[in-house]
Amino acid sequence: MANSTDIAIIGCGFSGTLLLHHIVSNENSPLRISVFDPSPHKFHGLAYSTQQIEHLLNVRADKMGAQPDNINGFYEWLQTNGQTYAPHDFVPRRLYGDYLAEIGKNTLLQAKAKNIDVIFVAEWVESIEREDSHYMLNKKCAAQKIILATGNRLPDNPFDFDFSKVDKNAPVAVVGTGLTGVDTIMSLLAAGHRSVITAYSRNGKFPRPHTALPTSLHKPHVHVENFQGKPLSTFLNIIRKNLADPWQAGIDALRPLTTSIWQALSLQDKQRFMKRGLTWWNIHRHRMAESIDQRLQQALTSGQVKIERRNFKVQEGHSFAQVFDCRGPDYKIEKQVHLNALLADGTLQAHETGLGLKVIATTYCVSTAGAPSIYAIGNLLFGEYFETTAIPELRVQAQEIAKQILG
Ligand SMILES: Cc1cc2nc3c(=O)[nH]c(=O)nc-3n(C[C@H](O)[C@H](O)[C@H](O)COP(=O)(O)OP(=O)(O)OC[C@H]3O[C@@H](n4cnc5c(N)ncnc54)[C@H](O)[C@@H]3O)c2cc1C
């Protein structure tokens, strides 16, 4: 355990790995960086720790580069490593994990050459307290600056599960019908599950499929008005007008604008959208590969997968050999108990929506004026930016935060 450190990065998934990479690449003086994460999948994070071949990326290979100035970088890596995928393919996520591990390992070599100490601490950060000029992590490590890269904390981690151990002839339940729920269903089917898989969710909707060809090859009819200060209905009209054939192209064309549209909404409209529009948005925006959709539709048609449009009740658990909790990440800030002390003493502030942290000073900086710096990346900025959970946004955030923290 490091007793003092210049920078503490909490979390070593994609965000923590790329932050480390950019900090090491941009710094030439000795520095001590501590990376906290108890996960055995260093550099992978949750999404890319899966070893299951049927868990695919939901973004095409040629858009998944880890560097903002080379978005084709992952595809180039696939080619260099003898993989014969096409640029527009949705490839197994475990390959992306390998790609990230290589970036992480190269970063450590570079750090060594530059006399930068990188210390891994295989622990959850459970408490952070503010002291005069630094923060105390888990009551034993003093950090001058902190980056919160804690990402997706799912109720269960279905990616570490051995599906071959599930009784193939017994019914199972999957709670949640988002992308993680679909991954779990795919794993059960791939393991030869024979009995019924019941998928529970209040809306009963699975993500929609991608188009066969990238939407950039279609001409979207983008209609974007000046929406500043306009009500939610204006945003919904923009979406409606964008749903030209194929609707996927319209949704994708909105992506660069989603954050400014979100930020222009009143608090009341943001809350209304979270309550009434988020499910619709999620299933259209966070889509799955066509091949996965086809497999799922087959299983729905044959009756092997059934949908229950309601909440799962814990007491129903005994009817199933296994219950998989595949509810997505919870953005509510009170779930981040390790931030309680900093929220209570005013160092951090919850975003007005209650979804993550408020950005206080410069972009991504969440600590109050006068306090040692704390930056946040990704999911913790959901209330501020809304579009902040996938690689295209995270790769930019990681580069920017590294510049700011060293600047
Ligand atoms: C199943 C799934 C599939 C996805 N597929 C894609 C895709 O194809 N394309 C795409 O662009 N995006 C995808 N995403 C979005 C994904 O969130 C991002 O791509 C990215 O993986 C997020 O990385 P992260 O480092 O921010 O978070 P994570 O990967 O969640 O990593 C956070 C890390 O922080 C650690 N941690 C958390 N709390 C603490 C603490 N208190 N102390 C110490 N360590 C802590 C965790 O152990 C974890 O290792 C997917 C997400 C999921 C869940």
Side-chain angles (χ1 to χ4, degrees):
M1 155 67 80
N3 291 323
S4 75
T5 195
D6 297 305
I7 301 174
I9 300 177
I10 307 178
C12 193
F14 174 89
S15 300
T17 303
L18 267 292
L19 282 160
L20 183 65
H21 164 80
H22 288 297
I23 293 171
V24 168
S25 303
N26 289 315
E27 182 59 77
N28 291 312
S29 317
L31 190 70
R32 198 171 161 89
I33 307 169
S34 300
V35 184
F36 288 78
D37 196 330
S39 163
H41 312 289
K42 200 194 287 174
F43 306 130
H44 293 67
L46 183 84
Y48 313 115
S49 62
T50 177
Q51 288 306 304
Q52 319 255 352
I53 195 93
E54 60 279 0
H55 291 167
L56 304 185
L57 291 175
N58 53 44
V59 176
R60 296 175 200 275
D62 62 349
K63 297 275 181 292
M64 282 293 286
Q67 307 281 355
D69 51 6
N70 183 19
I71 63 170
N72 198 35
F74 173 56
Y75 183 65
E76 288 166 5
W77 179 90
L78 286 172
Q79 287 182 307
T80 315
N81 286 275
Q83 300 288 337
T84 54
Y85 291 99
H88 302 150
D89 283 348
F90 296 95
V91 313
R93 292 208 300 273
R94 71 179 190 197
L95 290 172
Y96 199 75
D98 294 345
Y99 166 66
L100 291 182
E102 190 174 300
I103 294 176
K105 280 179 198 142
N106 288 340
T107 300
L108 294 185
L109 291 175
Q110 202 187 359
K112 206 170 169 194
K114 287 182 162 186
N115 219 1
I116 296 175
D117 274 347
V118 180
I119 297 137
F120 287 94
V121 187
E123 280 183 12
W124 293 111
V125 170
E126 284 170 352
S127 68
I128 311 177
E129 276 137 11
R130 182 170 161 191
E131 304 203 339
D132 293 339
S133 59
H134 61 267
Y135 296 102
M136 192 57 83
L137 277 67
N138 287 352
K139 302 197 184 296
K140 24 187 188 181
C141 175
Q144 301 300 320
K145 295 175 183 179
I146 294 179
I147 311 176
L148 303 166
T150 47
N152 309 281
R153 284 279 289 267
L154 298 186
D156 275 351
N157 180 353
F159 308 120
D160 273 343
F161 194 82
D162 181 356
F163 287 88
S164 67
K165 292 203 173 122
V166 181
D167 179 353
K168 294 181 177 34
N169 298 311
V172 296
V174 173
V175 181
T177 53
L179 289 166
T180 306
V182 174
D183 276 344
T184 302
I185 294 172
M186 289 302 127
S187 295
L188 286 160
L189 296 175
H193 198 74
R194 286 185 284 271
S195 185
V196 173
I197 303 168
T198 307
Y200 285 81
S201 86
R202 259 182 310 179
N203 57 64
K205 292 185 166 63
F206 286 109
R208 306 289 305 277
H210 280 283
T211 46
L213 287 174
T215 51
S216 54
L217 299 182
H218 298 277
K219 273 206 180 127
H221 301 273
V222 191
H223 297 271
V224 181
E225 292 129 56
N226 179 4
F227 42 79
Q228 187 71 36
K230 302 258 175 73
L232 181 62
S233 54
T234 309
F235 177 36
L236 298 180
N237 279 335
I238 296 171
I239 295 181
R240 223 167 282 136
K241 284 182 192 168
N242 272 342
L243 294 185
D245 188 27
W247 58 264
Q248 290 93 332
I251 294 284
D252 289 356
L254 277 176
R255 185 167 183 171
L257 306 162
T258 323
T259 292
S260 41
I261 295 175
W262 171 254
Q263 288 179 330
L265 293 178
S266 67
L267 174 59
Q268 206 186 20
D269 276 346
K270 282 180 184 138
Q271 286 165 336
R272 208 172 288 152
F273 183 74
M274 290 303 294
K275 210 166 166 185
R276 307 222 188 102
L278 189 67
T279 300
W280 185 93
W281 176 259
N282 279 343
I283 63 172
H284 289 81
R285 161 68 187 81
H286 301 285
R287 303 188 292 268
M288 56 184 164
E290 259 197 325
S291 59
I292 302 281
D293 181 56
Q294 282 161 5
R295 183 71 190 92
L296 182 62
Q297 295 308 325
Q298 271 171 12
L300 283 164
T301 309
S302 72
Q304 191 180 6
V305 173
K306 286 194 172 143
I307 301 178
E308 280 284 339
R309 279 189 179 75
R310 60 179 176 83
N311 283 337
F312 176 77
K313 297 189 193 93
V314 180
Q315 61 271 29
E316 292 175 288
H318 64 263
S319 327
F320 299 101
Q322 189 84 39
V323 178
F324 297 94
D325 190 343
C326 299
R327 291 168 296 163
D330 194 331
Y331 298 111
K332 290 193 199 83
I333 195 63
E334 63 265 24
K335 301 280 172 179
Q336 308 281 334
V337 287
H338 59 291
L339 302 181
N340 280 353
L342 297 179
L343 285 162
D345 73 12
T347 305
L348 300 176
Q349 286 177 36
H351 186 262
E352 56 175 2
T353 55
L355 306 168
L357 292 169
K358 184 174 163 60
V359 166
I360 295 189
T362 52
T363 331
Y364 315 125
C365 182
V366 289
S367 49
T368 192
S373 301
I374 304 181
Y375 291 86
I377 183 168
N379 287 27
L380 276 175
L381 300 177
F382 187 84
E384 283 284 352
Y385 304 127
F386 185 74
E387 191 71 82
T388 181
T389 58
I391 302 302
E393 286 74 34
L394 298 178
R395 63 187 167 212
V396 175
Q397 294 182 8
Q399 191 179 50
E400 291 289 316
I401 293 170
K403 261 192 231 155
Q404 287 187 38
I405 208 161
L406 294 175

